[in-house]
Amino acid sequence: MTQPPPPGAPRARIPGPQQPPPSYPRTRTGLWRRCLWGGLALWGLGTLVTYATGNTTLLPTLILLGSFLVPVVFVLWAYEHHGRDLGVNVILGCFLTGGVLGVLGASVMEYYLLHPSLWMFVGVGLIEEAVKAAALMFVLRRQTRIRGLRAGLVLGASVGFGFAALESAGYAFNAAVSTEGIDLRALLETEILRGVLAPFGHGLWTAITGAVLLAHRRPSGHFAFTAPVVGTYVGVALLHALWDSTHGIALWLVARLTSAPLNPALFGPGYLPAVTDQQKHLFTLFSVGGTVAVSLMGIAWVRSPARRDPSWRNTP
């Protein structure tokens, strides 16, 4: 008969099963939020100092902060909520390498293949969405384990936001340089506008393409260009073209409704000479309304597969 141990006697402890450490680094929750507010504060401080001192050497700081802030914040949010197990290296590689390759590839192809025409924006959409998808495949060519809709959404968005950040930096630089010198106001207006629109553009479109592309990736790691993949690419490219064409479509609608003379050469820039107040209001209504409509279409598209995929809801 076993006697119970006397009171106060030490008892042996049987160690329980050890949980393996996570394969991804632990980061504090809400890093994206602190990055957003901290970045906005630094950008605002840089703006005030540049205005006060007129020091043009601060322009690169403003351009980089203003262009990268929103894309970086959204990538951090995607990593914290849905991409911790994918790895920081992969996400950074998609954002930086994929973004750079996408911008370079799009610049070369658009220079040699596109010419001014009413269908130019369709060509822009087809080229830019193709090079971003190709950049995503290049970064993941040796990461054969990475597949599935959730991974495609996160990594596709990372490539798209990297592309958007670099493209915004170029637009901000072009806006700052004028024939009369440095136009700081134009630079700030460009960065604010593109920062507000950034979540609804390249990052959203490439997330859709990446989701379908990686959802159909074979177990061997090879990418399959199935009908859903090709159809999604074409659809996203047309959505991209529609986004770029909103100003031109608004111009056409204003000309039709007000019986104004329409010069086809003005379709791309979206500019009406000698406009009336009524035409200004209509143009603003149609251009802003068109942008909002295209944004809602993209959001609805990306939410549809995410809702059906359980791995998107059950992520670390």
Side-chain angles (χ1 to χ4, degrees):
M1 183 174 180
T2 304
Q3 296 294 331
R11 297 182 179 182
R13 292 185 178 180
I14 302 175
Q18 298 292 325
Q19 295 295 331
S23 58
Y24 49 88
R26 290 287 186 181
T27 57
R28 295 176 60 186
T29 304
L31 178 61
W32 68 271
R33 191 179 294 108
R34 292 189 293 275
C35 179
L36 173 61
W37 294 117
L40 284 174
L42 291 174
W43 183 79
L45 180 61
T47 301
L48 292 176
V49 172
T50 306
Y51 260 116
T53 63
N55 187 358
T56 57
T57 59
L58 295 176
L59 291 179
T61 302
L62 286 181
I63 291 175
L64 291 177
L65 273 176
S67 303
F68 278 79
L69 178 58
V70 174
V72 168
V73 165
F74 269 85
V75 171
L76 281 176
W77 177 87
Y79 170 75
E80 287 187 16
H81 288 79
H82 304 290
R84 291 177 182 264
D85 59 325
L86 297 175
V88 176
N89 293 337
V90 176
I91 293 179
L92 282 178
C94 288
F95 183 83
L96 296 175
T97 306
V100 172
L101 290 176
V103 170
L104 295 177
S107 298
V108 172
M109 295 182 68
E110 289 173 0
Y111 178 79
Y112 286 104
L113 299 180
L114 293 183
H115 304 284
S117 67
L118 292 178
W119 300 101
M120 182 180 67
F121 290 129
V122 175
V124 171
L126 291 170
I127 289 174
E128 292 189 356
E129 296 309 316
V131 296
K132 286 185 291 181
L136 176 63
M137 291 187 289
F138 176 81
V139 174
L140 299 181
R141 67 192 186 283
R142 297 180 181 176
Q143 305 286 342
T144 57
R145 65 177 180 84
I146 297 180
R147 63 176 64 88
L149 183 140
R150 175 174 62 89
L153 285 172
V154 174
L155 298 179
S158 299
V159 171
F161 278 120
F163 186 100
L166 294 169
E167 186 182 60
S168 295
Y171 278 107
F173 176 81
N174 288 336
V177 179
S178 66
T179 56
E180 300 178 357
I182 300 299
D183 191 343
L184 184 58
R185 181 178 177 179
L187 184 153
L188 298 178
E189 290 176 349
T190 300
E191 289 196 327
I192 292 173
L193 177 61
R194 293 190 65 86
V196 171
L197 296 178
F200 312 105
H202 288 290
L204 182 64
W205 303 326
T206 317
I208 297 171
T209 304
V212 179
L213 182 64
L214 292 189
H216 290 80
R217 191 178 190 181
R218 297 192 179 98
S220 61
H222 293 91
F223 294 96
F225 299 102
T226 59
V229 173
V230 176
T232 300
Y233 157 70
V234 174
V236 169
L238 293 178
L239 192 67
H240 184 164
L242 187 60
W243 172 284
D244 290 342
S245 302
T246 51
H247 280 195
I249 294 174
L251 168 66
W252 181 83
L253 289 173
V254 170
R256 296 286 294 179
L257 293 176
T258 60
S259 300
L262 179 62
N263 183 357
L266 301 176
F267 184 83
Y271 171 73
L272 268 175
V275 295
T276 64
D277 289 338
Q278 179 192 18
Q279 291 172 330
K280 288 181 181 178
H281 295 317
L282 285 175
F283 180 80
T284 302
L285 175 64
F286 291 139
S287 59
V288 174
T291 302
V292 171
V294 176
S295 301
L296 292 177
M297 291 168 59
I299 293 172
W301 191 350
V302 80
R303 284 175 62 88
S304 177
R307 285 180 172 180
R308 296 193 302 265
D309 187 72
S311 68
W312 177 257
R313 299 188 296 269
N314 303 317
T315 50

